[in-house]
C-alpha cells in the first residue's frame, strides 16, 4: 500500500509552502480578491494554443466562477448541469462523477472523461470532485484525440484550477443548509519575495452534511495550495497541490418495483448505515513551466502525479434470481449482497509543448507541437458475498432470508445483518503506459478562411496481472494509433464565423476477454458543423457569444457480452458493440449593460446502438436503434440573473431552470426515467462593505425526479426542495 508515501508527500508539500510564506513582505494595502473569472482571449493554454473562440472549429462552453456561484454549484455534477450537452450517468453509488457528452460516456467502472489544467488527470477513485479549488469548468465538445490523446468522442471536461493572481486578499465563507449541511471555505492569496515575484494561494474547505436520504451522511475536507514564481517577464513556474479526503456512503438509490417508480419513498436508504462508508483520499501534484521564447513562440513544460485510494464495505442491491424483491402482503423485502473494495491508483503525466506562429510567403501559420507520457496504475482488490441462486419456481418460504441480507424497502430496519464470509472476487493490477506526439497547424489561407490540420500518434502498452490465479498470470498488449483532425473556419466578419471539423479518436478499455487478453480500444469518428456569433462585436450594450452546432459521432468496439462458443464457460465481454449519436446544440452566454446576465444551453441528441448485441451487464438483447442509457433526447438549462442597487446596497437576484427529457433507465429494456423540470432561485445582498449574504433554494417546486439509473434496482433520486444560506467576507 502507498498510504504512507501519500501522507509523507502531502506533509512535505505543505511544509515547503509554509516555509516559503516566511518570505512574505508586509502589505497593509490589501487588494480585494477578484472572485469573478476574467476571460482573456488569445491567451496560450496547454493543448489548445492561442485562439479566439470564433477561430476554433469546434463548440465549447466556459462555465466561469460567476456562473458557478449563481447556480449554487458546489460539486462538479451541479456545474455540468448547466451544459445541455452533458447528461448524468450512473455514478457508482455516488462515489464519483460520471457523465456523457453528446451521448457518449466513459468507462462505467472507472472515473474518466475530465482533465485538470489540460492534464489527463481524471482517472482515479478520489470521490466526487468538489469545486472549491476550481476557477472555471470548460466543456470542450467534439473529438479532442488529435491533441489530448485518449478520450471520449463526445468531448472532454477541463477543470481549470484557482492559481495565484499576484495580489493580496481573499475570501472566507460559511454555509448552512438543509439536512444539517455545514460548509466552510477559504481562498486566500498574497505576494511574496523582495521583488514580489512569487504568488501564493491557499484554498481549502470542510463540509459535513446529512441528506434527504435517511441515515446518509458525508464528510469531506480539501486543501489546494498553489505557488507561482515569475523568474522573469518571460518565465513562470507554477506548482499546485491537491489534497482531498472524503467519507461517502455507498448509496445505489431506490427500486422501481415492476418498473414503477414512486412506490419506494425517495428517502429510504437500502444500504447499511453502520458499515456502508467508503473512504477516499487524493494527493495530486502539478508542476508547469511557461517560457516565452520571443514574441511569436512559447514553450510549456508540465508534470503531474496523482494518487488515489478507495476503501470500504457496501451492502448492494441484487438483481434477478439470487437478486430479487420478495413481496408479500405485509412487507416488501429487497435481497442484497456484500462487497469490500480496496482500490489504489497512481497516475503520472509528463508533457512538453511548443506553440508559435510563422509565415510561408503570404500564408501565416499558428502551430502547436508537443509530446506527452502517461502511466496509469490501477490496483484493485474486491471481496464479495452473494446469496445462492434460486429458480423462479422456488418456494421462498423454504429459503433462509437472513442469508439474503434482506431489507424492507417500505419499513427498513437498520439492525446489524447476518455475519457472512467474504470470498475473493477480484485481485488485479492493471498498468497502462502511453507515449504521444501531436502537431496542429492552423493556416490563414485568406483574411477570412482558416484551415486546421492536426494529428497525433499514440503508442500505448497495457499489462494486466491477475493475482487470483496461482501462479499469477500476466497478459499484455501494445498498439500504435493515429488520430487525425481536420477543420475549417470562415470569418464572415468580426462578429460571425462558420466552421466544420472532422476527427477520429480512441479510448483504452480496462479489463480482458475470455482468454485473458486486453481489449482492443474504442474507436470513434466525428463530424461537426456550426456557426458562432460574437455579441460584443454586434451590439453596443451587450457582450457574449452564441454558438449553434450540429454533429454526428460513430463509435465502435463498445464492450458487450461475449456469446461465442469459446467464451461459453463463463461471463466474458468482447468489444463488438457499435453506436451513433447525432444532434443539434444552441448555447448562449450574454451580459447586458443593465446588469442582466443570461445563460442558455439547449441540446437535441439522438444517441442509439447501431448493431445487434447483448448487454455487458445483464445479457439483455440490444437491437439496432435502441437508445443509449441515461441520454435524454432534449435537455435545456437556463440561468438568468440581475445586478441592481436598493438604497445604495448592492443586490443580485437570479433564477435557473433545468429540463431533462425522459431517458432509458436500463439497457436492453423498456424501463425509462420520467422527464423532469426543476427550478432554483437565489438572492444576494451586500449589507456592509465586502460582506456578502446569500440565500438560495434548489428545486423550488419540490419536484420528485430521478437523475440517472443503471437498472430498475439502481435508480438515483434527485433531491427535494433544499435551502441554503451563506455569508462571505472579502478582504
Amino acid at each position: 500500500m502507498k498510504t504512507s508515501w501519500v501522507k509523507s508527500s502531502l506533509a512535505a508539500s505543505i511544509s515547503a509552502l509554509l516555509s516559503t510564506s516566511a518570505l512574505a513582505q508586509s502589505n497593509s494595502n490589501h487588494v480585494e480578491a477578484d472572485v469573478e473569472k476574467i476571460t482573456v482571449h488569445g491567451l496560450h493554454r496547454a493543448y489548445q494554443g492561442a485562439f479566439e473562440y470564433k477561430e476554433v472549429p469546434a463548440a465549447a462552453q466556459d462555465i466561469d466562477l460567476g456562473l458557478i456561484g449563481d447556480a449554487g454549484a458546489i460539486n462538479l455534477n451541479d456545474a455540468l448541469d448547466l451544459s445541455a450537452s452533458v447528461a448524468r450517468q450512473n455514478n457508482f453509488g455516488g462515489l464519483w462523477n460520471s457523465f456523457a457528452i453528446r451521448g457518449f460516456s466513459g468507462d462505467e467502472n472507472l472515473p474518466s472523461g475530465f482533465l485538470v489544467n489540460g492534464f489527463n488527470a481524471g482517472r482515479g477513485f478520489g470521490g466526487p470532485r468538489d469545486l472549491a479549488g476550481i476557477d472555471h469548468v470548460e466543456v470542450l465538445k467534439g473529438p479532442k484525440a488529435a491533441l489530448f490523446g485518449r478520450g471520449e468522442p463526445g468531448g472532454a471536461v477541463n477543470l481549470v484550477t484557482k492559481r495565484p493572481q499576484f495580489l493580496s486578499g481573499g475570501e472566507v465563507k460559511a454555509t448552512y443548509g438543509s439536512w444539517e449541511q455545514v460548509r466552510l471555505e477559504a481562498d486566500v492569496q498574497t505576494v511574496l519575495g523582495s521583488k514580489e515575484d512569487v504568488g501564493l494561494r491557499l484554498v481549502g474547505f470542510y463540509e459535513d452534511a446529512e441528506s434527504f436520504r435517511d441515515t446518509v451522511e458525508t464528510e469531506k475536507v480539501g486543501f489546494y495550495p498553489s505557488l507561482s514564481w515569475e523568474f522573469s517577464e518571460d518565465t513562470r513556474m507554477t506548482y499546485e497541490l491537491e489534497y482531498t479526503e472524503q467519507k461517502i456512503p455507498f448509496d445505489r438509490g431506490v427500486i422501481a418495483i415492476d418498473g414503477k417508480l414512486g412506490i419506494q419513498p425517495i428517502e429510504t436508504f437500502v444500504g447499511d448505515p453502520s458499515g456502508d462508508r467508503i473512504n477516499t483520499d487524493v494527493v495530486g501534484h502539478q508542476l508547469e513551466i511557461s517560457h516565452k521564447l520571443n514574441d511569436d513562440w512559447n514553450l510549456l513544460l508540465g508534470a503531474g502525479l496523482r494518487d488515489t485510494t478507495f476503501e470500504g464495505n457496501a451492502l448492494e442491491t441484487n438483481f434477478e434470481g439470487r437478486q430479487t424483491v420478495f413481496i408479500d402482503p405485509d412487507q416488501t423485502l429487497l435481497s442484497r449482497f456484500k462487497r469490500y473494495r480496496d482500490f489504489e491508483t497512481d497516475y503520472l503525466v509528463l508533457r512538453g509543448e511548443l506553440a508559435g506562429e510563422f509565415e510561408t510567403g503570404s500564408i501565416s501559420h499558428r502551430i502547436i507541437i508537443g509530446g506527452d507520457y502517461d502511466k496509469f496504475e490501477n490496483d484493485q482488490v474486491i471481496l464479495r458475498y452473494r446469496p445462492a441462486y434460486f429458480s423462479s419456481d422456488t418456494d421462498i418460504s423454504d429459503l433462509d432470508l437472513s442469508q439474503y441480507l434482506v431489507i424492507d424497502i417500505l419499513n427498513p430496519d437498520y439492525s446489524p445483518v447476518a455475519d457472512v464470509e467474504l470470498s475473493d472476487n477480484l485481485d488485479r493490477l492493471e498498468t497502462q503506459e502511453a507515449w504521444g506526439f501531436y502537431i496542429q497547424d492552423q493556416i490563414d489561407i485568406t483574411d477570412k478562411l482558416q484551415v486546421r490540420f492536426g494529428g497525433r500518434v499514440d503508442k500505448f502498452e497495457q499489462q494486466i496481472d491477475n493475482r487470483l490465479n496461482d501462479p499469477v498470470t500476466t497478459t499484455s498488449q501494445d498498439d500504435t494509433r493515429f488520430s487525425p483532425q481536420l477543420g475549417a473556419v470562415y470569418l464572415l466578419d468580426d462578429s460571425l464565423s462558420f466552421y466544420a471539423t472532422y476527427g477520429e479518436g480512441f479510448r483504452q478499455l480496462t479489463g480482458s476477454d475470455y482468454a485473458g487478453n486486453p481489449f482492443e480500444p474504442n474507436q470513434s469518428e466525428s463530424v461537426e458543423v456550426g456557426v458562432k456569433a460574437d455579441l460584443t462585436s454586434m451590439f453596443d450594450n451587450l457582450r457574449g457569444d452564441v454558438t449553434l452546432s450540429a454533429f454526428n459521432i460513430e463509435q465502435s468496439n463498445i464492450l458487450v457480452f461475449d456469446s461465442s462458443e469459446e467464451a461459453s464457460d463463463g461471463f466474458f465481454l468482447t468489444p463488438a458493440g457499435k453506436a451513433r449519436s447525432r444532434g443539434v446544440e444552441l448555447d448562449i452566454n450574454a451580459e447586458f449593460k443593465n446588469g442582466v446576465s443570461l445563460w442558455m444551453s439547449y441540446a437535441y441528441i439522438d444517441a442509439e446502438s447501431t448493431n445487434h448485441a447483448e448487454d455487458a451487464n445483464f445479457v439483455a438483447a440490444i437491437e439496432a436503434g435502441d437508445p443509449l442509457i441515461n441520454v435524454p433526447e432534449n435537455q435545456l438549462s437556463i440561468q438568468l440573473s440581475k445586478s441592481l442597487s436598493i438604497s445604495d446596497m448592492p443586490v443580485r437576484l437570479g433564477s435557473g431552470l433545468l429540463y431533462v427529457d425522459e431517458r432509458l433507465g436500463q439497457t436492453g429494456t423498456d424501463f425509462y426515467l420520467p422527464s423532469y423540470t426543476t427550478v432554483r432561485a437565489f438572492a444576494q445582498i451586500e449589507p456592509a462593505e465586502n460582506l456578502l449574504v446569500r440565500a438560495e433554494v434548489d428545486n423550488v417546486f419540490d419536484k420528485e425526479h430521478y437523475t440517472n439509473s443503471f437498472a430498475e434496482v439502481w435508480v438515483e433520486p434527485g433531491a427535494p426542495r433544499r435551502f441554503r444560506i451563506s455569508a462571505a467576507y472579502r478582504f
Side-chain angles (χ1 to χ4, degrees), residues 62-77:
D62 193 347
I63 305 172
D64 65 28
L65 200 58
L67 186 60
I68 290 172
D70 284 353
I74 293 175
N75 60 67
L76 182 57
N77 285 340

Side-chain angles (χ1 to χ4, degrees), residues 106-125:
D107 192 327
E108 67 182 21
N109 294 312
L110 177 66
S112 62
F114 67 87
L115 316 165
V116 181
N117 299 318
F119 285 88
N120 279 310
R123 289 187 290 174
F125 300 95

Side-chain angles (χ1 to χ4, degrees), residues 61 83-87 100-103 139 141 585 587 601 603 605 635:
Q61 293 172 292
S83 173
S85 305
V86 182
I101 303 177
R102 291 179 169 177
V139 181
K141 304 177 188 179
E585 301 161 326
D587 298 321
S601 179
I605 298 175
Q635 188 162 317

Side-chain angles (χ1 to χ4, degrees), residues 459-571:
K459 178 177 174 55
F460 65 89
E461 299 175 355
Q462 185 179 23
Q463 177 176 302
I464 299 174
D465 298 324
N466 187 347
R467 296 176 301 214
L468 280 184
N469 295 335
D470 187 16
V472 174
T473 58
T474 299
T475 57
S476 62
Q477 71 166 333
D478 61 85
D479 200 356
T480 300
R481 298 279 171 160
F482 176 69
S483 304
Q485 185 183 32
L486 303 172
V489 179
Y490 184 77
L491 304 171
L492 185 65
D493 52 36
D494 291 339
S495 60
L496 200 64
S497 67
F498 299 87
Y499 72 88
T501 189
Y502 168 83
E504 299 178 9
F506 76 98
R507 178 172 65 88
Q508 291 170 262
L509 299 170
T510 60
S512 56
D513 62 13
Y514 73 93
N517 299 314
F519 299 118
E520 288 286 312
N522 282 151
Q523 298 184 71
S524 62
E525 294 184 33
S526 178
V527 177
E528 179 182 342
V529 296
V531 58
K532 298 179 179 180
D534 183 353
L535 300 177
T536 308
S537 301
M538 298 175 69
F539 303 99
D540 293 333
N541 62 343
L542 180 62
R543 66 177 184 175
D545 50 66
V546 177
T547 303
L548 177 64
S549 57
F551 62 89
N552 184 82
I553 307 169
E554 296 183 0
Q555 187 179 51
S556 58
N557 287 0
I558 299 170
L559 289 179
V560 295
F561 176 72
D562 191 345
S563 58
S564 66
E565 184 176 346
E566 295 87 348
S568 60
D569 61 343
F571 189 95

Side-chain angles (χ1 to χ4, degrees), residues 147-168:
L147 289 181
F148 293 108
R150 64 173 307 280
E152 310 307 325
V157 171
N158 185 36
L159 308 181
V160 181
T161 58
K162 294 177 178 177
R163 291 181 167 182
Q165 299 172 325
F166 289 86
L167 52 82
S168 295

